[in-house]
Amino acid sequence: MALFHRKKQVDAPEPEVEPLGLPGAPETDMSGRRSVVDHCDYLCSLVQAVPPVAMDLPRAVGLAVCEDIHAPHDVPVVTTAVIDGYALDSASTRMAGRSGAVEIQVDRRPPTPVIPGTAVRVMAGSLLPEGTDCVLPLDLLDADGDIVLFSPVKRWAGARLAGSDYGSGEVLVRNGTILHPGIISMLASAGIDEVFVRPRPKVVIVAVRADEDQREEIERRARANGVEEVASLDATAAAIESATRALDVDVTVISTDTSSDSELARLLANAGRGADLVLTTSDHMVVGQQDPVSSVLPRMGGTDFARVAMEPGANQGFALIDPSLVPLVVLPAGPGPALISFMVFVQPLLRKLSGLPPADVLRAETDRPIARHPDSTTFVPVRLARVGGRPVLLRAGMGDVTHAIDLSMADAIAVVGAGDEPVPTGMPLVCWRLR
């Protein structure tokens, strides 16, 4: 139980500001709501990919290159052995099988160049010694330690020729390719140590905790139920922070319980400096009162407040904060609604900022009928399984996305489109993985 409480700060009334809307808003239905797809596409149209930077090759794993990368020279630049074995001059084997076997002696102390008619030990990936042009496998060695051949060996057998992968000037990696360790290995072998990529977006989460009056009421009711100490944890912010970190982006979290509009505006402005995207979460839930962030945004730049045909999370807020036009998304209160809005709208925004294409869509069949909302897209926590080799979704708990227990049992969220009839058994639904 808190022993001391800060005195609530009350700002002097400020003159009403006419909100500056953002251009190109999509059309709405008869109830004044946008479709989920239209709203997502609209938000993505308002942001640009993060400017590219030069980055050391190993650190660029998972990022998209921003230009075609050309081979600075032949790749590989020298001829190498493909296998562990013995390198020799193929000309020494041309009589093998004509007048009997040809014996090749293994030289334990190889000279340079290798003496014709002898072989030297090499390892896969090593330079082909001077005077050799092929490599034979280790198991050709006989009991006397020599190599006995009954047929000629082709030139360059067991070897990778210089320039056989790429010639000088050829494209190694196309613009937009996402780098993985295999591509990085190939680029390193070509002598490339730096690439031009889009860096991971910098995301700042501003978490507005419940105000003093709400905390006091929670503590009072907890004491009435016999609970003396109440942890003041922000479940919404925890859910969004973890979901953001799972996308491999740079994340900073700022928590506040300020009741001052001017202080909150200052925090948001500071959050926007150096950030590529600002997310706000709130535990401030009072019927009839606007989200505290939404109330200060009209003074900070262009805003877009919309109703979307989805449940939960129908009320959506977005802004471009002056002076750098940093995008800001106002997430709904509560872990479930905030997480749904994050998946529907924030994930595509982060992919756009990263210069990545839309994520692959996972579909799984229903194992039983699922109720629909007549005119809104809804979301159901589910568990994924495979039945007869096909992905199938099973409702987690009661299937209530606003219920923390149901979310904890789920490994995905199923998207259920509006309709008058239930989704039939066996119908594929789009699913978003939680892990």
Side-chain angles (χ1 to χ4, degrees):
M1 181 177 64
L3 298 178
F4 300 98
H5 295 295
R6 257 187 338 193
K7 187 175 180 180
K8 186 183 295 186
Q9 181 178 348
V10 179
D11 291 331
E14 295 190 12
E16 290 291 329
V17 176
E18 184 69 25
L20 176 63
L22 297 172
E27 295 182 357
T28 60
D29 61 17
M30 296 180 63
S31 300
R33 302 177 308 170
R34 298 173 187 170
S35 73
V36 172
V37 172
D38 284 350
H39 187 64
C40 181
D41 290 345
Y42 178 55
L43 297 189
C44 288
S45 73
L46 295 173
V47 304
Q48 298 297 322
V50 176
V53 296
M55 188 175 292
D56 291 341
L57 184 60
R59 294 179 55 230
V61 64
L63 303 180
V65 296
C66 299
E67 61 181 355
D68 289 349
I69 301 177
H70 298 266
H73 46 63
D74 289 348
V75 180
V77 67
V78 292
T79 299
T80 59
V82 175
I83 58 173
D84 293 343
Y86 298 96
L88 64 152
D89 181 6
S90 62
S92 302
T93 72
R94 66 179 181 273
M95 299 303 295
R98 295 185 182 180
S99 57
V102 170
E103 281 193 9
I104 304 292
Q105 183 180 7
V106 176
D107 198 330
R108 306 296 177 184
R109 295 182 178 178
T112 301
V114 174
I115 297 171
T118 66
V120 297
R121 180 81 160 80
V122 292
M123 297 178 64
S126 63
L127 297 178
L128 220 59
E130 187 178 347
T132 68
D133 60 6
C134 64
V135 180
L136 298 178
L138 296 174
D139 58 10
L140 290 183
L141 206 64
D142 67 8
D144 297 325
D146 295 326
I147 299 173
V148 179
L149 300 173
F150 294 92
S151 60
V153 180
K154 292 183 179 179
R155 193 181 189 195
W156 308 123
R160 177 174 287 113
L161 285 171
S164 60
D165 291 343
Y166 295 96
S168 177
E170 281 192 64
V171 176
L172 299 178
V173 178
R174 292 288 181 187
N175 184 6
T177 300
I178 300 173
L179 298 178
H180 59 64
I183 297 176
I184 287 175
S185 173
M186 180 268 294
L187 292 175
S189 69
I192 295 170
D193 61 358
E194 191 177 71
V195 287
F196 210 43
V197 295
R198 298 196 190 279
R200 292 172 176 82
K202 296 181 176 63
V203 179
V204 177
I205 300 172
V206 179
V208 182
R209 298 191 298 267
D211 66 16
E212 186 175 338
D213 290 340
Q214 288 176 295
R215 293 198 306 274
E216 286 180 344
E217 180 63 13
I218 291 172
E219 291 170 2
R220 184 187 69 78
R221 295 193 183 191
R223 288 194 299 272
N225 292 330
V227 180
E228 292 298 327
E229 295 291 338
V230 180
S232 179
L233 300 179
D234 188 340
T236 304
I240 297 307
E241 179 183 354
S242 61
T244 308
R245 292 191 185 281
L247 298 179
D248 192 26
V249 298
D250 294 334
V251 182
T252 302
V253 180
I254 302 171
S255 295
T256 181
D257 57 3
T258 182
S259 58
S260 164
D261 284 356
S262 60
E263 177 66 13
L264 184 56
R266 185 186 68 81
L267 281 175
L268 294 173
N270 288 338
R273 294 188 177 95
D276 299 305
L277 177 66
V278 177
L279 305 177
T280 69
T281 67
S282 176
D283 268 0
H284 183 92
M285 293 179 280
V286 179
V287 176
Q289 290 189 12
Q290 189 179 26
D291 174 272
V293 172
S294 299
S295 66
V296 303
L297 284 181
R299 298 192 294 273
M300 301 185 65
T303 58
D304 178 77
F305 296 104
R307 292 185 64 238
V308 181
M310 60 185 284
E311 292 293 341
N315 295 318
Q316 293 291 323
F318 179 84
L320 294 176
I321 303 176
D322 290 335
S324 302
L325 301 182
V326 176
L328 181 150
V329 177
V330 182
L331 293 171
L339 190 58
I340 292 302
S341 293
F342 180 91
M343 291 178 162
V344 179
F345 304 121
V346 177
Q347 285 187 351
L349 279 175
L350 285 172
R351 293 190 71 85
K352 175 73 178 287
L353 289 168
S354 301
L356 301 177
D360 294 334
V361 175
L362 168 67
R363 296 181 185 273
E365 298 177 5
T366 58
D367 72 326
R368 67 185 66 184
I370 297 179
R372 299 179 190 259
H373 190 285
D375 54 12
S376 294
T377 298
T378 55
F379 308 89
V380 178
V382 297
R383 290 178 289 111
L384 297 176
R386 297 195 76 84
V387 177
R390 305 187 314 277
V392 174
L393 59 88
L394 317 170
R395 190 180 67 183
M398 299 302 294
D400 185 352
V401 78
T402 66
H403 195 189
I405 296 298
D406 291 358
L407 281 175
S408 72
M409 293 188 292
D411 55 21
I413 302 293
V415 183
V416 182
D420 295 324
E421 299 294 330
V423 176
T425 300
M427 179 176 177
L429 293 179
V430 172
C431 294
W432 301 320
R433 289 189 181 274
L434 289 171
R435 55 187 176 198

